[in-house]
Amino acid sequence: MKLEWQPRSVALETCGVWARGPSAKELAGKLSDRELGPLRVCAHADQLILLGPGKRLPWVEGAIYLGLDPQQGQLYLPTLWRPSLPLDWIRPHLASAAPPPWLMLPQLPEPLALGRCSAVDAANLLRFAAQP
Amino acid sequence: MVEAIVLAAVAREHVLLVGPPGTAKSEAARRVAQSFGGTYFEYLLGKFSEPSELFGPVDLRLLKEGVLETVTQGMLPEAEIAFLDEVFAGSSAILNTLLGILNERIFRRGSRQVGCPLRVCIGATNSLPEDEVLAAFADRFLLRCFVEPVSDHLLETMLEGGRQAFEPHAVALSELDQLAEQARAVQLQEVRPVLGMLLRRLRKEGIGLSDRRSVRVQNLVAAAAVLAGRQQASTADLWPIVLAVPTAAGQQKARQCLEEELRSSDSPCLWSLAEETASAPKVRARRLVAEGQRLLQLEADPEREMRIEGLLREIDASLLPGQRGADLELVRANLVKSLA
């Protein structure tokens, strides 16, 4: 079932960023020059996801900033959008498919289980940035 | 704080700054007084302060003739802007006389009554009084500003600002008086029903405003409208209602429960205060435009780049494209260009 998304009246506090394709490579390139510190980085196909304190997250054009829904714990959502369906209805389906945390975005056809993404360390960021 | 004092001054109300020592309360008051250029009176009250220290000594020459008169020259009754630190520390004699000055702008001494030119009184205190009598006096300060020490991520900004000489933007007292006059004439009919609804919502949440505060909050709304260039108040001007809530916890709760209703808040010249109060997209966009323009003027260096990234991150994370407005979109485009 395709989810509809609505703008949030108040943005979530930023604690992550998602990028895909060229934006993801640019993000990886920026990160490779910096200390990762508290940031956790993971990748899935051509997507890069960073989780951590908002002020440590780099900026690239096309990146989507993420926040945690206050009532749903480990579900990352865009800071500015929320699904039209109540999250209480969605969460049990997420939990039955994979352990948390999860990521849901309008740009993704289905939720992404972040635990199943590959962790990316500092050494692999350049490789990610260089991939075709 | 400065914006809060300006709003109170235009509304002809008084403002109470509540916060620990060293949070620039007196500095804010001095800066506003310097901007307006009016006669300024400042005093730190203590439990042993005598009324003559605020209101002036008795005129001994006239006293010998059997006339009780106070020499008020240079004292609070002649001040146009006043700052009273530890305002609740004074004796009941001081507070009783202050009540007349705050409420009616009248100084009473014996049988004599003198009109006071006071535009705004800024009171400061480390904490709100619990005593009922003092709380009644405190209710005369309609606008409450709760000040905290600067948070970690703003320390550098504070250090930078603290070393700069303050160059006052000249706003004459006559301009302030003109704005106050215009505020008195602001039409409130359209927003009264909404204001009533907001007050009811606050009561339902257990946030009580006294009847006096509920009525007088209209003065703050009118002042906000005039400062936004409007002679008819709109829902964009209702944000000061949060500042009339008497406690810090109450203001925090009011911000949350009125979040939706205050989304349309806007204030071209008090956007910092409006954003703190209402988290509305328009005022946030104004602040981001101002910050972006400031950053673009700095010399290019790695630190500026990081700050530009931080600002772009905030723009993209907190405002939908449709909420940004043309000015912010332009600033955003220039910031992106500067990183290329």
Side-chain angles (χ1 to χ4, degrees):
Chain A
M1 186 180 68
K2 192 176 183 311
L3 268 183
E4 299 293 325
W5 292 79
Q6 296 168 348
R8 283 186 178 272
S9 53
V10 178
L12 292 174
E13 192 178 323
T14 306
C15 58
V17 62
W18 172 93
R20 176 162 65 187
S23 300
K25 289 185 201 173
E26 192 183 338
L27 196 58
K30 269 197 181 175
L31 272 179
S32 63
D33 286 339
R34 302 177 191 183
E35 292 280 335
L36 285 182
L39 292 178
R40 290 182 296 138
V41 188
C42 55
H44 177 75
D46 66 341
Q47 301 166 49
L48 198 69
I49 305 109
L50 278 66
L51 303 175
K55 61 186 178 192
R56 296 295 301 257
L57 300 169
W59 176 88
V60 296
E61 189 75 77
I64 308 275
Y65 288 93
L66 309 174
L68 280 169
D69 186 274
Q71 267 121 41
Q72 298 300 328
Q74 299 182 67
L75 174 57
Y76 288 90
L77 297 166
T79 52
L80 296 171
W81 295 89
R82 60 179 177 82
S84 54
L85 284 180
L87 291 171
D88 286 342
W89 294 8
I90 298 173
R91 198 187 156 102
H93 294 286
L94 295 174
S96 66
W102 312 282
L103 167 64
M104 286 177 63
L105 288 173
Q107 291 80 359
L108 296 177
E110 54 191 36
L112 188 61
L114 294 174
R116 291 185 179 162
C117 300
S118 322
V120 180
D121 59 21
N124 287 318
L125 279 169
L126 276 174
R127 195 174 304 147
F128 183 93
Q131 70 186 9
Chain B
M1 274 190 284
V2 167
E3 291 186 359
I5 296 168
V6 168
L7 179 68
V10 173
R12 285 288 189 259
E13 295 289 345
H14 307 296
V15 57
L16 186 64
L17 306 177
V18 185
T23 44
K25 300 188 287 293
S26 52
E27 182 62 21
R30 282 184 208 120
R31 287 190 174 196
V32 169
Q34 212 174 337
S35 288
F36 289 146
T39 51
Y40 176 64
F41 178 83
E42 175 181 327
Y43 205 75
L44 169 63
L45 272 80
K47 59 182 177 183
F48 300 117
S49 297
E50 295 283 337
S52 59
E53 293 167 47
L54 269 78
F55 309 118
V58 169
D59 188 329
L60 292 175
R61 185 178 52 83
L62 288 175
L63 187 63
K64 285 179 191 168
E65 296 164 20
V67 177
L68 179 64
E69 283 268 350
T70 306
V71 180
T72 56
Q73 191 182 4
M75 307 303 283
L76 176 57
E78 293 190 4
E80 286 157 332
I81 316 271
F83 174 65
L84 299 176
D85 205 351
E86 294 307 332
V87 65
F88 302 116
S91 63
S92 52
I94 287 177
L95 297 185
N96 285 338
T97 310
L98 265 178
L99 263 178
I101 295 179
L102 295 183
N103 271 354
E104 299 143 90
R105 266 72 172 186
I106 291 177
F107 170 60
R108 290 185 179 86
R109 195 63 178 256
S111 58
R112 207 161 162 253
Q113 292 188 23
V114 173
C116 300
L118 185 68
R119 303 314 198 268
V120 60
C121 178
I122 305 135
T125 181
N126 291 344
S127 58
L128 288 174
E130 287 172 7
D131 179 274
E132 260 182 43
V133 170
L134 288 177
F137 173 72
D139 205 45
R140 267 61 176 185
F141 292 88
L142 177 63
L143 206 158
R144 303 277 176 102
C145 220
F146 294 90
V147 187
E148 294 293 326
V150 157
S151 50
D152 281 356
H153 74 283
L154 289 172
L155 276 172
E156 281 79 13
T157 311
M158 180 193 73
L159 291 170
E160 200 181 306
R163 293 277 295 175
Q164 285 167 5
F166 173 62
E167 285 169 23
H169 170 70
V171 176
L173 212 59
S174 55
E175 279 181 65
L176 171 65
D177 290 342
Q178 216 170 355
L179 288 168
E181 206 49 51
Q182 287 170 17
R184 268 196 278 271
V186 159
Q187 306 286 320
L188 291 165
Q189 296 92 312
E190 277 197 25
V191 294
R192 260 197 201 106
V194 185
L195 184 58
M197 189 261 295
L198 297 187
L199 290 168
R200 273 185 216 100
R201 175 77 61 83
L202 290 177
R203 281 187 188 177
K204 202 174 158 197
E205 297 291 332
I207 304 165
L209 289 188
S210 64
D211 288 349
R212 174 179 28 231
R213 300 184 88 78
S214 299
V215 169
R216 296 185 86 123
V217 82
Q218 296 176 103
N219 294 342
L220 296 179
V221 171
V226 149
L227 287 165
R230 294 186 267 271
Q231 269 307 122
Q232 183 152 323
S234 74
T235 51
D237 305 311
L238 291 173
W239 54 272
I241 188 177
V242 172
L243 299 169
V245 175
T247 65
Q251 286 193 3
Q252 178 65 8
K253 206 168 173 188
R255 272 187 205 97
Q256 286 163 4
C257 74
L258 300 182
E259 205 157 36
E260 271 305 316
E261 289 80 0
L262 297 180
R263 294 277 297 159
S264 59
S265 297
D266 192 20
S267 180
C269 43
L270 302 180
W271 44 261
S272 174
L273 183 65
E275 188 189 2
E276 244 178 69
T277 310
S279 301
K282 279 186 192 161
V283 283
R284 176 168 295 169
R286 288 185 192 279
R287 191 231 331 141
L288 292 169
V289 165
E291 282 182 20
Q293 286 170 341
R294 235 185 337 260
L295 281 177
L296 287 166
Q297 308 233 340
L298 298 177
E299 251 184 63
D301 65 20
E303 198 198 311
R304 185 187 91 139
E305 260 195 42
M306 291 304 290
R307 286 169 73 176
I308 286 177
E309 263 203 37
L311 195 62
L312 285 167
R313 183 180 57 234
E314 187 179 352
I315 293 170
D316 289 2
S318 65
L319 291 172
L320 291 163
Q323 293 173 326
R324 292 176 196 161
D327 290 346
L328 184 55
E329 287 292 6
L330 180 62
V331 163
R332 185 186 180 283
N334 288 336
L335 290 169
V336 171
K337 211 186 291 181
S338 74
L339 288 181

